[in-house]
Amino acid sequence: MVSISFGKSNFSKAQNSYQMTISLIMMVVVLCSISSIIVAVKTSSSQEPVSVPAQASKTKDDVAAKKELVKAVEDLETIKDRIKNVEEYDHRENYRSETNNGLTVVGTLMEQMIDVMVAVLKQPLVAEAVSKRIVNKQDADEISEYIEMLGQEVVKEVEQTQLLRCGRPMVRKTEEHEGGVVSTWMEEGEGDVPEDNCEVYKFNEDKLEEGSKRAMANLYNKVLSVVEKTEEQDKMYRIVKNVSIDNYKQLQLSYGREINEARIENFPEQKEIVDGAMAHYKYLGHELKRELGESINIRELTGDEERRINYLKR
């Protein structure tokens, strides 16, 4: 996207800092999510057996178990409802699942992560600093809507891409080479596997790769369909301008640079910002198409847009 310059390199440095922060946050979230799933898989075998009448069929047992799992997940989602108002968030309520011991552990991990995040946001200077980053309420609401829009696209992919699959027990394999050298390794055994009630759980690598590529394509196409609209370009320009100007003085002071009021007054016009941003986004589409194929909706670049991204081709 286009970098907006009020000083020689202030905003590019700030952008790098923000990008690094966002990347770290995403990495922490992903690692915590994976850890939670591993804990759930390992602890699921510790669930107490449910006593059923001797005459109950296996089908009825399976249906009941699935209903209990759905109920447990629904209970887990109530954690989200409790943090809608961060300023009044009560961390004293502890999540417990009555039907899935693994989700009790995962839910507790989620709660503790939320507790830490809320505690940080409640610190006076942190709350003060955050409030100064996005000053305009309309800007904040619309940024949140964009985040929710993209989050919903990711959720759709997660819902249809199974993270785990039933696996086969691992077996030891050996192979003898010249000179009597024997190599050994472990690999997944052979045979049929069930669709649920697994003996062994494996990460569904093929489906994950397929789902990741599909998610990337859907996200790109979704954003493209939004940024092509004139009304959305107007909205995004206003947000970028407001946030840039609101943060300019503090960024300048943070780097020990002089505040130049003329640079604020001479903020780039909307056409300059939008044309540069669209050139870069269209170029990204052509790059993604090389990897993801026809699933990417591409747009041809104009002569002026080609000029704006020539430096990327060097």
Side-chain angles (χ1 to χ4, degrees):
M1 305 298 279
V2 175
S3 61
I4 303 163
S5 177
F6 283 120
K8 188 171 181 180
S9 61
N10 300 336
F11 272 93
S12 61
K13 287 182 179 178
Q15 287 171 345
N16 289 337
S17 176
Y18 287 141
Q19 289 171 357
M20 182 177 295
T21 301
I22 292 171
S23 299
L24 288 173
I25 292 172
M26 291 178 66
M27 185 182 299
V28 170
V29 171
V30 170
L31 289 175
C32 289
S33 300
I34 292 175
S35 300
S36 301
I37 291 167
I38 292 173
V39 170
V41 169
K42 289 185 176 180
T43 58
S44 61
S45 60
S46 68
Q47 297 180 38
E48 297 178 1
V50 179
S51 59
V52 296
Q55 68 271 22
S57 67
K58 183 178 183 300
T59 301
K60 290 183 178 180
D61 290 345
D62 290 343
V63 170
K66 289 178 180 178
K67 285 183 178 180
E68 287 182 350
L69 181 58
V70 170
K71 174 66 166 57
V73 174
E74 289 176 348
D75 290 343
L76 192 65
E77 290 176 342
T78 63
I79 294 176
K80 180 179 177 182
D81 296 332
R82 286 164 38 208
I83 63 168
K84 286 184 177 179
N85 189 342
V86 173
E87 296 174 353
E88 299 178 5
Y89 174 74
D90 183 1
H91 61 81
R92 291 172 296 177
E93 182 179 353
N94 296 320
Y95 170 81
R96 294 293 185 269
S97 171
E98 298 299 326
T99 58
N100 188 308
N101 298 330
L103 287 184
T104 292
V105 176
V106 175
T108 302
L109 284 172
M110 290 173 60
E111 280 187 321
Q112 298 314 304
M113 291 169 60
I114 293 169
D115 287 347
V116 171
M117 293 167 62
V118 171
V120 170
L121 292 173
K122 281 187 173 182
Q123 291 185 8
L125 291 182
V126 173
E128 178 183 296
V130 170
S131 70
K132 290 180 179 180
R133 290 295 171 260
I134 312 292
V135 176
N136 186 287
K137 185 180 187 307
Q138 183 180 4
D139 293 344
D141 289 343
E142 290 171 347
I143 291 172
S144 297
E145 289 171 2
Y146 287 132
I147 294 172
E148 290 166 350
M149 175 191 71
L150 297 178
Q152 289 167 4
E153 292 297 314
V154 174
V155 169
K156 288 178 185 177
E157 287 303 323
V158 172
E159 289 176 342
Q160 64 179 338
T161 303
Q162 295 302 309
L163 181 63
L164 299 176
R165 65 175 176 84
C166 288
R168 305 171 186 84
M170 300 294 286
V171 296
R172 184 180 299 277
K173 295 286 186 177
T174 61
E175 183 177 359
E176 187 172 349
H177 305 279
E178 292 183 8
V181 178
V182 177
S183 60
T184 64
W185 68 93
M186 300 295 292
E187 67 178 39
E188 192 174 351
E190 300 178 352
D192 297 332
V193 291
E195 293 184 359
D196 54 17
N197 195 23
C198 314
E199 291 184 346
V200 177
Y201 297 90
K202 295 284 187 181
F203 283 106
N204 204 355
E205 295 179 1
D206 293 339
K207 292 294 183 182
L208 285 175
E209 181 178 359
E210 177 186 317
S212 297
K213 290 182 176 180
R214 186 171 59 245
M216 191 182 303
N218 289 342
L219 282 174
Y220 177 85
N221 294 339
K222 182 69 174 181
V223 173
L224 180 64
S225 69
V226 172
V227 299
E228 286 184 316
K229 298 175 181 177
T230 302
E231 61 271 22
E232 296 295 338
Q233 293 175 358
D234 295 343
K235 184 191 302 183
M236 291 179 181
Y237 174 76
R238 171 177 44 78
I239 292 172
V240 169
K241 182 177 180 180
N242 288 345
V243 173
S244 299
I245 291 175
D246 290 338
N247 288 271
Y248 169 67
K249 290 184 178 180
Q250 182 164 339
L251 287 173
Q252 290 294 89
L253 293 173
S254 297
Y255 288 110
R257 297 185 181 278
E258 182 182 352
I259 295 174
N260 188 338
E261 297 291 344
R263 293 190 179 277
I264 298 178
E265 296 173 0
N266 297 325
F267 191 85
E269 295 294 330
Q270 179 170 342
K271 186 178 187 307
E272 180 67 17
I273 298 292
V274 170
D275 288 353
M278 289 303 298
H280 285 77
Y281 201 71
K282 289 180 181 179
Y283 177 79
L284 174 62
H286 286 270
E287 291 295 300
L288 288 176
K289 186 178 180 181
R290 296 179 183 178
E291 179 181 354
L292 304 178
E294 298 300 323
S295 60
I296 296 293
N297 297 332
I298 63 168
R299 300 289 186 268
E300 296 302 326
L301 282 79
T302 65
D304 179 65
E305 290 171 337
E306 288 281 1
R307 176 184 60 79
R308 292 174 183 272
I309 54 90
N310 274 338
Y311 74 97
L312 295 173
K313 299 179 179 180
R314 295 171 188 166

PDB file of all heavy atoms in Angstrom, residues 95-126:
ATOM      1  N   TYR A  95     -14.699 -20.389  33.550  1.00  0.00           N
ATOM      2  CA  TYR A  95     -15.391 -21.280  32.618  1.00  0.00           C
ATOM      3  C   TYR A  95     -15.149 -22.738  33.008  1.00  0.00           C
ATOM      4  O   TYR A  95     -14.014 -23.125  33.293  1.00  0.00           O
ATOM      5  CB  TYR A  95     -14.890 -21.034  31.197  1.00  0.00           C
ATOM      6  CG  TYR A  95     -15.386 -22.071  30.221  1.00  0.00           C
ATOM      7  CD1 TYR A  95     -16.661 -21.994  29.677  1.00  0.00           C
ATOM      8  CD2 TYR A  95     -14.590 -23.166  29.868  1.00  0.00           C
ATOM      9  CE1 TYR A  95     -17.138 -22.957  28.811  1.00  0.00           C
ATOM     10  CE2 TYR A  95     -15.045 -24.136  28.993  1.00  0.00           C
ATOM     11  CZ  TYR A  95     -16.317 -24.026  28.474  1.00  0.00           C
ATOM     12  OH  TYR A  95     -16.783 -24.983  27.620  1.00  0.00           O
ATOM     13  N   ARG A  96     -16.193 -23.515  33.024  1.00  0.00           N
ATOM     14  CA  ARG A  96     -16.088 -24.958  33.220  1.00  0.00           C
ATOM     15  C   ARG A  96     -17.086 -25.636  32.297  1.00  0.00           C
ATOM     16  O   ARG A  96     -18.248 -25.229  32.231  1.00  0.00           O
ATOM     17  CB  ARG A  96     -16.379 -25.354  34.674  1.00  0.00           C
ATOM     18  CG  ARG A  96     -15.362 -24.849  35.693  1.00  0.00           C
ATOM     19  CD  ARG A  96     -14.003 -25.498  35.511  1.00  0.00           C
ATOM     20  NE  ARG A  96     -13.075 -25.098  36.558  1.00  0.00           N
ATOM     21  CZ  ARG A  96     -12.262 -24.040  36.465  1.00  0.00           C
ATOM     22  NH1 ARG A  96     -12.309 -23.270  35.374  1.00  0.00           N
ATOM     23  NH2 ARG A  96     -11.436 -23.750  37.449  1.00  0.00           N
ATOM     24  N   SER A  97     -16.626 -26.664  31.591  1.00  0.00           N
ATOM     25  CA  SER A  97     -17.531 -27.443  30.749  1.00  0.00           C
ATOM     26  C   SER A  97     -17.993 -28.664  31.524  1.00  0.00           C
ATOM     27  O   SER A  97     -17.181 -29.354  32.151  1.00  0.00           O
ATOM     28  CB  SER A  97     -16.820 -27.877  29.465  1.00  0.00           C
ATOM     29  OG  SER A  97     -17.631 -28.795  28.743  1.00  0.00           O
ATOM     30  N   GLU A  98     -19.291 -28.911  31.477  1.00  0.00           N
ATOM     31  CA  GLU A  98     -19.842 -30.077  32.173  1.00  0.00           C
ATOM     32  C   GLU A  98     -19.769 -31.330  31.315  1.00  0.00           C
ATOM     33  O   GLU A  98     -20.026 -32.427  31.809  1.00  0.00           O
ATOM     34  CB  GLU A  98     -21.302 -29.800  32.573  1.00  0.00           C
ATOM     35  CG  GLU A  98     -21.477 -28.632  33.533  1.00  0.00           C
ATOM     36  CD  GLU A  98     -20.755 -28.854  34.849  1.00  0.00           C
ATOM     37  OE1 GLU A  98     -20.680 -30.013  35.294  1.00  0.00           O
ATOM     38  OE2 GLU A  98     -20.257 -27.866  35.426  1.00  0.00           O
ATOM     39  N   THR A  99     -19.452 -31.179  30.043  1.00  0.00           N
ATOM     40  CA  THR A  99     -19.509 -32.336  29.133  1.00  0.00           C
ATOM     41  C   THR A  99     -18.201 -32.637  28.428  1.00  0.00           C
ATOM     42  O   THR A  99     -18.055 -33.696  27.831  1.00  0.00           O
ATOM     43  CB  THR A  99     -20.596 -32.108  28.056  1.00  0.00           C
ATOM     44  OG1 THR A  99     -20.298 -30.896  27.344  1.00  0.00           O
ATOM     45  CG2 THR A  99     -21.972 -32.001  28.694  1.00  0.00           C
ATOM     46  N   ASN A 100     -17.231 -31.719  28.476  1.00  0.00           N
ATOM     47  CA  ASN A 100     -15.977 -31.949  27.744  1.00  0.00           C
ATOM     48  C   ASN A 100     -14.815 -31.392  28.573  1.00  0.00           C
ATOM     49  O   ASN A 100     -14.633 -30.180  28.674  1.00  0.00           O
ATOM     50  CB  ASN A 100     -16.032 -31.269  26.370  1.00  0.00           C
ATOM     51  CG  ASN A 100     -14.842 -31.641  25.493  1.00  0.00           C
ATOM     52  OD1 ASN A 100     -13.698 -31.519  25.899  1.00  0.00           O
ATOM     53  ND2 ASN A 100     -15.133 -32.075  24.275  1.00  0.00           N
ATOM     54  N   ASN A 101     -14.051 -32.278  29.174  1.00  0.00           N
ATOM     55  CA  ASN A 101     -12.947 -31.855  30.039  1.00  0.00           C
ATOM     56  C   ASN A 101     -11.867 -31.099  29.277  1.00  0.00           C
ATOM     57  O   ASN A 101     -11.224 -30.199  29.813  1.00  0.00           O
ATOM     58  CB  ASN A 101     -12.331 -33.071  30.735  1.00  0.00           C
ATOM     59  CG  ASN A 101     -13.330 -33.778  31.640  1.00  0.00           C
ATOM     60  OD1 ASN A 101     -14.228 -33.150  32.187  1.00  0.00           O
ATOM     61  ND2 ASN A 101     -13.185 -35.087  31.782  1.00  0.00           N
ATOM     62  N   GLY A 102     -11.665 -31.486  28.026  1.00  0.00           N
ATOM     63  CA  GLY A 102     -10.664 -30.794  27.213  1.00  0.00           C
ATOM     64  C   GLY A 102     -11.029 -29.336  27.002  1.00  0.00           C
ATOM     65  O   GLY A 102     -10.166 -28.447  27.072  1.00  0.00           O
ATOM     66  N   LEU A 103     -12.323 -29.075  26.755  1.00  0.00           N
ATOM     67  CA  LEU A 103     -12.757 -27.696  26.543  1.00  0.00           C
ATOM     68  C   LEU A 103     -12.680 -26.883  27.831  1.00  0.00           C
ATOM     69  O   LEU A 103     -12.542 -25.654  27.785  1.00  0.00           O
ATOM     70  CB  LEU A 103     -14.187 -27.668  25.996  1.00  0.00           C
ATOM     71  CG  LEU A 103     -14.341 -28.107  24.533  1.00  0.00           C
ATOM     72  CD1 LEU A 103     -15.792 -27.946  24.087  1.00  0.00           C
ATOM     73  CD2 LEU A 103     -13.424 -27.322  23.620  1.00  0.00           C
ATOM     74  N   THR A 104     -12.752 -27.538  28.986  1.00  0.00           N
ATOM     75  CA  THR A 104     -12.538 -26.814  30.243  1.00  0.00           C
ATOM     76  C   THR A 104     -11.149 -26.201  30.265  1.00  0.00           C
ATOM     77  O   THR A 104     -10.960 -25.042  30.640  1.00  0.00           O
ATOM     78  CB  THR A 104     -12.710 -27.766  31.446  1.00  0.00           C
ATOM     79  OG1 THR A 104     -14.080 -28.160  31.536  1.00  0.00           O
ATOM     80  CG2 THR A 104     -12.288 -27.095  32.741  1.00  0.00           C
ATOM     81  N   VAL A 105     -10.155 -26.980  29.838  1.00  0.00           N
ATOM     82  CA  VAL A 105      -8.772 -26.487  29.814  1.00  0.00           C
ATOM     83  C   VAL A 105      -8.613 -25.395  28.762  1.00  0.00           C
ATOM     84  O   VAL A 105      -8.033 -24.334  29.022  1.00  0.00           O
ATOM     85  CB  VAL A 105      -7.791 -27.648  29.543  1.00  0.00           C
ATOM     86  CG1 VAL A 105      -6.367 -27.124  29.416  1.00  0.00           C
ATOM     87  CG2 VAL A 105      -7.879 -28.682  30.661  1.00  0.00           C
ATOM     88  N   VAL A 106      -9.148 -25.636  27.552  1.00  0.00           N
ATOM     89  CA  VAL A 106      -9.038 -24.642  26.481  1.00  0.00           C
ATOM     90  C   VAL A 106      -9.746 -23.353  26.878  1.00  0.00           C
ATOM     91  O   VAL A 106      -9.218 -22.251  26.687  1.00  0.00           O
ATOM     92  CB  VAL A 106      -9.636 -25.195  25.164  1.00  0.00           C
ATOM     93  CG1 VAL A 106      -9.634 -24.120  24.084  1.00  0.00           C
ATOM     94  CG2 VAL A 106      -8.841 -26.405  24.690  1.00  0.00           C
ATOM     95  N   GLY A 107     -10.951 -23.488  27.436  1.00  0.00           N
ATOM     96  CA  GLY A 107     -11.701 -22.305  27.845  1.00  0.00           C
ATOM     97  C   GLY A 107     -10.975 -21.515  28.916  1.00  0.00           C
ATOM     98  O   GLY A 107     -10.978 -20.281  28.902  1.00  0.00           O
ATOM     99  N   THR A 108     -10.325 -22.222  29.834  1.00  0.00           N
ATOM    100  CA  THR A 108      -9.560 -21.536  30.876  1.00  0.00           C
ATOM    101  C   THR A 108      -8.378 -20.790  30.282  1.00  0.00           C
ATOM    102  O   THR A 108      -8.069 -19.657  30.695  1.00  0.00           O
ATOM    103  CB  THR A 108      -9.077 -22.552  31.930  1.00  0.00           C
ATOM    104  OG1 THR A 108     -10.204 -23.229  32.484  1.00  0.00           O
ATOM    105  CG2 THR A 108      -8.311 -21.850  33.044  1.00  0.00           C
ATOM    106  N   LEU A 109      -7.700 -21.396  29.308  1.00  0.00           N
ATOM    107  CA  LEU A 109      -6.598 -20.704  28.622  1.00  0.00           C
ATOM    108  C   LEU A 109      -7.099 -19.432  27.949  1.00  0.00           C
ATOM    109  O   LEU A 109      -6.461 -18.376  28.025  1.00  0.00           O
ATOM    110  CB  LEU A 109      -5.957 -21.632  27.581  1.00  0.00           C
ATOM    111  CG  LEU A 109      -5.032 -22.724  28.105  1.00  0.00           C
ATOM    112  CD1 LEU A 109      -4.645 -23.670  26.974  1.00  0.00           C
ATOM    113  CD2 LEU A 109      -3.780 -22.123  28.727  1.00  0.00           C
ATOM    114  N   MET A 110      -8.254 -19.534  27.289  1.00  0.00           N
ATOM    115  CA  MET A 110      -8.829 -18.358  26.638  1.00  0.00           C
ATOM    116  C   MET A 110      -9.141 -17.272  27.663  1.00  0.00           C
ATOM    117  O   MET A 110      -8.856 -16.087  27.442  1.00  0.00           O
ATOM    118  CB  MET A 110     -10.105 -18.753  25.878  1.00  0.00           C
ATOM    119  CG  MET A 110      -9.853 -19.610  24.650  1.00  0.00           C
ATOM    120  SD  MET A 110     -11.402 -20.214  23.925  1.00  0.00           S
ATOM    121  CE  MET A 110     -12.236 -18.667  23.541  1.00  0.00           C
ATOM    122  N   GLU A 111      -9.726 -17.680  28.782  1.00  0.00           N
ATOM    123  CA  GLU A 111     -10.059 -16.718  29.832  1.00  0.00           C
ATOM    124  C   GLU A 111      -8.821 -15.999  30.342  1.00  0.00           C
ATOM    125  O   GLU A 111      -8.827 -14.773  30.532  1.00  0.00           O
ATOM    126  CB  GLU A 111     -10.739 -17.431  31.000  1.00  0.00           C
ATOM    127  CG  GLU A 111     -12.211 -17.716  30.771  1.00  0.00           C
ATOM    128  CD  GLU A 111     -12.856 -18.279  32.030  1.00  0.00           C
ATOM    129  OE1 GLU A 111     -12.224 -19.074  32.723  1.00  0.00           O
ATOM    130  OE2 GLU A 111     -14.008 -17.911  32.292  1.00  0.00           O
ATOM    131  N   GLN A 112      -7.754 -16.760  30.577  1.00  0.00           N
ATOM    132  CA  GLN A 112      -6.546 -16.138  31.125  1.00  0.00           C
ATOM    133  C   GLN A 112      -5.901 -15.185  30.121  1.00  0.00           C
ATOM    134  O   GLN A 112      -5.377 -14.133  30.491  1.00  0.00           O
ATOM    135  CB  GLN A 112      -5.550 -17.229  31.555  1.00  0.00           C
ATOM    136  CG  GLN A 112      -6.071 -18.145  32.647  1.00  0.00           C
ATOM    137  CD  GLN A 112      -6.738 -17.380  33.784  1.00  0.00           C
ATOM    138  OE1 GLN A 112      -6.129 -16.501  34.388  1.00  0.00           O
ATOM    139  NE2 GLN A 112      -7.992 -17.708  34.065  1.00  0.00           N
ATOM    140  N   MET A 113      -5.947 -15.548  28.833  1.00  0.00           N
ATOM    141  CA  MET A 113      -5.440 -14.642  27.805  1.00  0.00           C
ATOM    142  C   MET A 113      -6.237 -13.342  27.798  1.00  0.00           C
ATOM    143  O   MET A 113      -5.680 -12.239  27.718  1.00  0.00           O
ATOM    144  CB  MET A 113      -5.514 -15.317  26.427  1.00  0.00           C
ATOM    145  CG  MET A 113      -4.541 -16.464  26.239  1.00  0.00           C
ATOM    146  SD  MET A 113      -4.900 -17.426  24.736  1.00  0.00           S
ATOM    147  CE  MET A 113      -4.733 -16.153  23.493  1.00  0.00           C
ATOM    148  N   ILE A 114      -7.572 -13.477  27.906  1.00  0.00           N
ATOM    149  CA  ILE A 114      -8.439 -12.297  27.922  1.00  0.00           C
ATOM    150  C   ILE A 114      -8.176 -11.472  29.179  1.00  0.00           C
ATOM    151  O   ILE A 114      -8.099 -10.240  29.119  1.00  0.00           O
ATOM    152  CB  ILE A 114      -9.916 -12.715  27.841  1.00  0.00           C
ATOM    153  CG1 ILE A 114     -10.206 -13.348  26.469  1.00  0.00           C
ATOM    154  CG2 ILE A 114     -10.837 -11.519  28.074  1.00  0.00           C
ATOM    155  CD1 ILE A 114     -11.550 -14.029  26.375  1.00  0.00           C
ATOM    156  N   ASP A 115      -8.029 -12.146  30.322  1.00  0.00           N
ATOM    157  CA  ASP A 115      -7.759 -11.432  31.567  1.00  0.00           C
ATOM    158  C   ASP A 115      -6.501 -10.581  31.460  1.00  0.00           C
ATOM    159  O   ASP A 115      -6.462  -9.433  31.910  1.00  0.00           O
ATOM    160  CB  ASP A 115      -7.601 -12.421  32.725  1.00  0.00           C
ATOM    161  CG  ASP A 115      -8.929 -13.048  33.154  1.00  0.00           C
ATOM    162  OD1 ASP A 115      -9.980 -12.537  32.713  1.00  0.00           O
ATOM    163  OD2 ASP A 115      -8.905 -14.035  33.895  1.00  0.00           O
ATOM    164  N   VAL A 116      -5.439 -11.167  30.868  1.00  0.00           N
ATOM    165  CA  VAL A 116      -4.182 -10.438  30.716  1.00  0.00           C
ATOM    166  C   VAL A 116      -4.365  -9.243  29.785  1.00  0.00           C
ATOM    167  O   VAL A 116      -3.911  -8.130  30.075  1.00  0.00           O
ATOM    168  CB  VAL A 116      -3.077 -11.371  30.173  1.00  0.00           C
ATOM    169  CG1 VAL A 116      -1.826 -10.571  29.808  1.00  0.00           C
ATOM    170  CG2 VAL A 116      -2.723 -12.439  31.206  1.00  0.00           C
ATOM    171  N   MET A 117      -5.048  -9.458  28.664  1.00  0.00           N
ATOM    172  CA  MET A 117      -5.269  -8.374  27.707  1.00  0.00           C
ATOM    173  C   MET A 117      -6.073  -7.247  28.337  1.00  0.00           C
ATOM    174  O   MET A 117      -5.753  -6.059  28.169  1.00  0.00           O
ATOM    175  CB  MET A 117      -5.997  -8.922  26.470  1.00  0.00           C
ATOM    176  CG  MET A 117      -5.160  -9.888  25.645  1.00  0.00           C
ATOM    177  SD  MET A 117      -6.158 -10.790  24.423  1.00  0.00           S
ATOM    178  CE  MET A 117      -6.741  -9.445  23.408  1.00  0.00           C
ATOM    179  N   VAL A 118      -7.132  -7.597  29.074  1.00  0.00           N
ATOM    180  CA  VAL A 118      -7.970  -6.583  29.707  1.00  0.00           C
ATOM    181  C   VAL A 118      -7.183  -5.826  30.771  1.00  0.00           C
ATOM    182  O   VAL A 118      -7.297  -4.601  30.901  1.00  0.00           O
ATOM    183  CB  VAL A 118      -9.235  -7.223  30.318  1.00  0.00           C
ATOM    184  CG1 VAL A 118     -10.001  -6.216  31.166  1.00  0.00           C
ATOM    185  CG2 VAL A 118     -10.137  -7.760  29.211  1.00  0.00           C
ATOM    186  N   ALA A 119      -6.352  -6.558  31.547  1.00  0.00           N
ATOM    187  CA  ALA A 119      -5.544  -5.909  32.575  1.00  0.00           C
ATOM    188  C   ALA A 119      -4.598  -4.883  31.967  1.00  0.00           C
ATOM    189  O   ALA A 119      -4.392  -3.792  32.518  1.00  0.00           O
ATOM    190  CB  ALA A 119      -4.757  -6.959  33.364  1.00  0.00           C
ATOM    191  N   VAL A 120      -4.035  -5.226  30.815  1.00  0.00           N
ATOM    192  CA  VAL A 120      -3.141  -4.293  30.126  1.00  0.00           C
ATOM    193  C   VAL A 120      -3.920  -3.066  29.659  1.00  0.00           C
ATOM    194  O   VAL A 120      -3.502  -1.919  29.846  1.00  0.00           O
ATOM    195  CB  VAL A 120      -2.452  -4.978  28.932  1.00  0.00           C
ATOM    196  CG1 VAL A 120      -1.722  -3.950  28.068  1.00  0.00           C
ATOM    197  CG2 VAL A 120      -1.465  -6.030  29.419  1.00  0.00           C
ATOM    198  N   LEU A 121      -5.079  -3.288  29.049  1.00  0.00           N
ATOM    199  CA  LEU A 121      -5.883  -2.179  28.525  1.00  0.00           C
ATOM    200  C   LEU A 121      -6.431  -1.278  29.627  1.00  0.00           C
ATOM    201  O   LEU A 121      -6.734  -0.114  29.379  1.00  0.00           O
ATOM    202  CB  LEU A 121      -7.041  -2.728  27.683  1.00  0.00           C
ATOM    203  CG  LEU A 121      -6.641  -3.397  26.374  1.00  0.00           C
ATOM    204  CD1 LEU A 121      -7.857  -4.042  25.717  1.00  0.00           C
ATOM    205  CD2 LEU A 121      -6.006  -2.402  25.428  1.00  0.00           C
ATOM    206  N   LYS A 122      -6.549  -1.808  30.845  1.00  0.00           N
ATOM    207  CA  LYS A 122      -7.056  -1.009  31.954  1.00  0.00           C
ATOM    208  C   LYS A 122      -5.995  -0.118  32.586  1.00  0.00           C
ATOM    209  O   LYS A 122      -6.322   0.759  33.378  1.00  0.00           O
ATOM    210  CB  LYS A 122      -7.658  -1.927  33.027  1.00  0.00           C
ATOM    211  CG  LYS A 122      -9.060  -2.419  32.703  1.00  0.00           C
ATOM    212  CD  LYS A 122      -9.643  -3.183  33.879  1.00  0.00           C
ATOM    213  CE  LYS A 122     -11.106  -3.529  33.642  1.00  0.00           C
ATOM    214  NZ  LYS A 122     -11.700  -4.234  34.784  1.00  0.00           N
ATOM    215  N   GLN A 123      -4.727  -0.350  32.260  1.00  0.00           N
ATOM    216  CA  GLN A 123      -3.682   0.514  32.806  1.00  0.00           C
ATOM    217  C   GLN A 123      -3.903   1.937  32.297  1.00  0.00           C
ATOM    218  O   GLN A 123      -4.108   2.146  31.102  1.00  0.00           O
ATOM    219  CB  GLN A 123      -2.301   0.008  32.393  1.00  0.00           C
ATOM    220  CG  GLN A 123      -1.918  -1.303  33.035  1.00  0.00           C
ATOM    221  CD  GLN A 123      -0.495  -1.706  32.703  1.00  0.00           C
ATOM    222  OE1 GLN A 123       0.259  -0.940  32.113  1.00  0.00           O
ATOM    223  NE2 GLN A 123      -0.125  -2.910  33.092  1.00  0.00           N
ATOM    224  N   PRO A 124      -3.855   2.936  33.165  1.00  0.00           N
ATOM    225  CA  PRO A 124      -4.212   4.310  32.782  1.00  0.00           C
ATOM    226  C   PRO A 124      -3.472   4.839  31.558  1.00  0.00           C
ATOM    227  O   PRO A 124      -4.098   5.385  30.651  1.00  0.00           O
ATOM    228  CB  PRO A 124      -3.857   5.123  34.035  1.00  0.00           C
ATOM    229  CG  PRO A 124      -3.979   4.147  35.152  1.00  0.00           C
ATOM    230  CD  PRO A 124      -3.529   2.827  34.600  1.00  0.00           C
ATOM    231  N   LEU A 125      -2.150   4.669  31.523  1.00  0.00           N
ATOM    232  CA  LEU A 125      -1.394   5.219  30.395  1.00  0.00           C
ATOM    233  C   LEU A 125      -1.642   4.441  29.111  1.00  0.00           C
ATOM    234  O   LEU A 125      -1.619   5.009  28.017  1.00  0.00           O
ATOM    235  CB  LEU A 125       0.099   5.247  30.723  1.00  0.00           C
ATOM    236  CG  LEU A 125       0.521   6.254  31.791  1.00  0.00           C
ATOM    237  CD1 LEU A 125       2.027   6.231  31.986  1.00  0.00           C
ATOM    238  CD2 LEU A 125       0.052   7.664  31.429  1.00  0.00           C
ATOM    239  N   VAL A 126      -1.863   3.129  29.242  1.00  0.00           N
ATOM    240  CA  VAL A 126      -2.184   2.328  28.052  1.00  0.00           C
ATOM    241  C   VAL A 126      -3.530   2.767  27.484  1.00  0.00           C
ATOM    242  O   VAL A 126      -3.673   2.991  26.279  1.00  0.00           O
ATOM    243  CB  VAL A 126      -2.208   0.827  28.384  1.00  0.00           C
ATOM    244  CG1 VAL A 126      -2.716   0.023  27.181  1.00  0.00           C
ATOM    245  CG2 VAL A 126      -0.820   0.345  28.794  1.00  0.00           C
TER     246      VAL A 126
END
